[in-house]
């Protein structure tokens, strides 16, 4: 591996590592300030990760996080901040559940139909923000935040008894979906649990994300437009079209985020369906640096914190609040932003120093700066 390649790998890894170390250190300070051990909570959570049933929970949760983070990352690569993934995924899950409850097709048709409904609903909801941005210049951040709130109210309305809702106790649901739309998973036994079948969809989406971005003309245009709209326009790329397309694709992937849970376990959408998935996806996309492999590790890390932290409530002789994991996740966000900027500045200085050394060497050898640049 060349020296340049080693530096590039170092720069890619340094940011997440610094962020994690900083988050752990700051969380430890919080624990010390509360008069508790700064080490035992991590030991307890790591112990949970050795149990098979917790591992299954982590994998299942990570599949949802991974899809949500991919949706966010697609926007990031286009220099768009799709903060509306949470609303897009919840509305898509609700509409998918409604279709799955009222339509019964053979499984080979039912499951693709439900996946398509989820993608189209997410794309439609994200597309509203995309249209507002390209036609009226409305910031996608403002538009998607407002659309999150509208999605919450719309879901509440559509799940009323006189619309599509089915009252179950004090909870409004969409009713149980037809069994032809249930996606079987990998059953590891009653004591361990079942891995969602759509975990493999998350893996496939990660592969497609990498291929499209790095091996297609569309991916190149998307990345080029995200880097500089004016430069992309000079090469014949329609920047507005790319913005709208990126928002539609981001929304479509967001629409898949809740389906591993919906089709693999819940089989119904209710007011207790998980929220906040889209905002967690932002953390994961940042931590994974928009790379599909990095996002996978980040999704597993955040899922581990979620599923291992409940054990802290039952620790003996001293119980720890499970919110420690939430604190750590919040600190990771701050640490990621700060560490990435620090690494970027450090990398820029390294590059400037290397160019300066090469120019000095060229001057000593009577080579022109153009010859150095050509090398």
């Amino acid at each position: 591996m060349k020296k340049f390649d080693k530096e590039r790998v170092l720069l890619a890894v340094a940011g997440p590592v610094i962020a994690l170390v900083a988050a752990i250190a700051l969380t430890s300070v919080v624990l010390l300030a509360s008069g508790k051990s700064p080490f035992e909570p991590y030991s307890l959570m790591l112990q949970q990760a050795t149990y098979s049933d917790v591992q299954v929970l982590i994998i299942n949760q990570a599949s949802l996080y991974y899809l949500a983070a991919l949706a966010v990352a697609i926007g990031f690569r286009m220099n768009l901040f799709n903060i509306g993934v949470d609303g897009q995924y919840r509305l898509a899950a609700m509409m998918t559940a409604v279709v799955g409850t009222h339509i019964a097709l053979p499984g080979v048709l039912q499951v693709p139909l439900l996946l398509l409904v989820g993608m189209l609903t997410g794309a439609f909801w994200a597309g509203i923000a995309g249209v507002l941005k390209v036609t009226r210049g409305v910031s996608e951040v403002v538009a998607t935040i407002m659309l999150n709130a509208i999605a919450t109210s719309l879901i509440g309305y559509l799940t009323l008894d006189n619309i599509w809702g089915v009252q179950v106790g004090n909870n409004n649901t969409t009713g149980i979906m037809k069994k032809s739309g249930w996606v079987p998973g990998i059953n590891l036994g009653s004591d361990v649990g079942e891995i969602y079948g759509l975990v493999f969809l998350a893996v496939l989406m990660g592969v497609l994300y990498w291929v499209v971005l790095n091996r297609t003309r569309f991916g190149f245009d998307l990345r080029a437009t995200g880097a500089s709209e004016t430069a992309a326009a000079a090469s014949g790329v329609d920047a507005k079209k790319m913005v709208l397309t990126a928002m539609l694709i981001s929304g479509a992937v967001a629409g898949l985020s809740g389906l591993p849970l919906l089709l693999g376990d819940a089989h119904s959408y209710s007011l207790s369906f998980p929220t906040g998935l889209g905002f967690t996806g932002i953390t994961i996309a940042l931590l994974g640096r928009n790379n599909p492999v990095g996002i996978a590790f980040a999704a597993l890390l955040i899922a581990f914190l979620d599923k291992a932290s409940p054990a802290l409530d039952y620790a003996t002789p001293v119980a720890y609040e499970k919110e420690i994991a939430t604190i750590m996740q919040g600190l990771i966000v701050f640490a990621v932003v700060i560490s990435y900027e620090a690494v970027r500045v450090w990398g820029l200085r390294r590059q400037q120093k290397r160019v300066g050394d090469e120019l000095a060497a060229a001057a000593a050898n009577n080579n022109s700066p153009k010859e150095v640049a050509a090398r």
Side-chain angles (χ1 to χ4, degrees), residues 38-109:
F39 306 111
E40 188 176 12
Y42 308 122
S43 175
L44 291 171
M45 287 193 290
L46 288 173
Q47 185 180 14
Q48 289 296 306
T50 63
Y51 301 140
S52 299
D53 57 337
V54 177
Q55 292 170 1
V56 169
L57 293 174
I58 290 172
I59 292 173
N60 288 339
Q61 188 68 27
S63 66
L64 278 68
Y65 286 161
Y66 188 73
L67 289 169
L70 283 182
V72 175
I74 291 169
F76 280 162
R77 297 305 294 265
M78 184 62 196
N79 202 24
L80 295 171
F81 198 172
N82 182 10
I83 204 171
V85 168
D86 198 68
Q88 294 153 21
Y89 112 85
R90 288 187 291 113
L91 187 61
M94 190 275 296
M95 290 302 300
T96 302
V98 169
V99 172
T101 302
H102 294 87
I103 296 179
L105 299 174
V108 293
L109 298 177

Side-chain angles (χ1 to χ4, degrees), residues 179-202:
K179 287 191 175 182
S180 59
W182 297 12
V183 177
I186 303 174
N187 193 341
L188 300 178
S190 58
D191 295 334
V192 177
E194 183 177 283
I195 296 176
Y196 297 153
L198 290 186
V199 165
F200 300 102
L201 174 65

Side-chain angles (χ1 to χ4, degrees), residues 10-240:
L10 178 62
L11 289 174
V13 174
V17 171
I18 294 174
L20 287 176
V21 171
I24 291 173
L26 292 173
T27 305
S28 298
V29 171
V30 173
L31 288 168
L32 279 172
S34 62
K36 295 183 178 180
S37 170
F39 306 111
E40 188 176 12
Y42 308 122
S43 175
L44 291 171
M45 287 193 290
L46 288 173
Q47 185 180 14
Q48 289 296 306
T50 63
Y51 301 140
S52 299
D53 57 337
V54 177
Q55 292 170 1
V56 169
L57 293 174
I58 290 172
I59 292 173
N60 288 339
Q61 188 68 27
S63 66
L64 278 68
Y65 286 161
Y66 188 73
L67 289 169
L70 283 182
V72 175
I74 291 169
F76 280 162
R77 297 305 294 265
M78 184 62 196
N79 202 24
L80 295 171
F81 198 172
N82 182 10
I83 204 171
V85 168
D86 198 68
Q88 294 153 21
Y89 112 85
R90 288 187 291 113
L91 187 61
M94 190 275 296
M95 290 302 300
T96 302
V98 169
V99 172
T101 302
H102 294 87
I103 296 179
L105 299 174
V108 293
L109 298 177
Q110 183 83 342
V111 173
L113 171 65
L114 297 178
L115 294 176
L116 184 61
V117 169
M119 293 178 69
L120 290 178
T121 304
F124 169 75
W125 207 243
I128 296 174
V131 170
L132 289 174
K133 183 174 181 64
V134 300
T135 59
R136 292 291 181 265
V138 178
S139 168
E140 74 280 2
V141 175
V142 175
T144 51
I145 287 177
M146 295 299 100
L147 286 168
N148 278 342
I150 296 172
T152 300
S153 300
L154 184 60
I155 290 170
Y157 171 73
L158 294 177
T159 52
L160 292 175
D161 293 348
N162 59 340
I163 310 294
W164 289 323
V166 176
Q167 190 76 19
V168 178
N170 294 324
N171 199 359
N172 287 340
T173 76
T174 55
I176 301 299
M177 299 168 61
K178 307 298 182 183
K179 287 191 175 182
S180 59
W182 297 12
V183 177
I186 303 174
N187 193 341
L188 300 178
S190 58
D191 295 334
V192 177
E194 183 177 283
I195 296 176
Y196 297 153
L198 290 186
V199 165
F200 300 102
L201 174 65
V203 175
L204 176 61
M205 293 304 297
V207 174
L208 287 176
Y209 169 84
W210 183 88
V211 171
V212 170
L213 279 181
N214 297 282
R215 291 294 184 267
T216 67
R217 174 58 189 267
F218 171 78
F220 174 79
D221 290 345
L222 188 146
R223 289 183 287 113
T225 307
S228 173
E229 288 190 14
T230 55
S235 63
V237 178
D238 187 339
K240 290 186 176 180

Side-chain angles (χ1 to χ4, degrees), residues 355 358-359 362 367-375:
V355 172
E358 290 178 353
L359 289 173
N367 292 328
S368 68
K370 290 184 177 181
E371 291 176 331
V372 176
R375 291 204 299 270

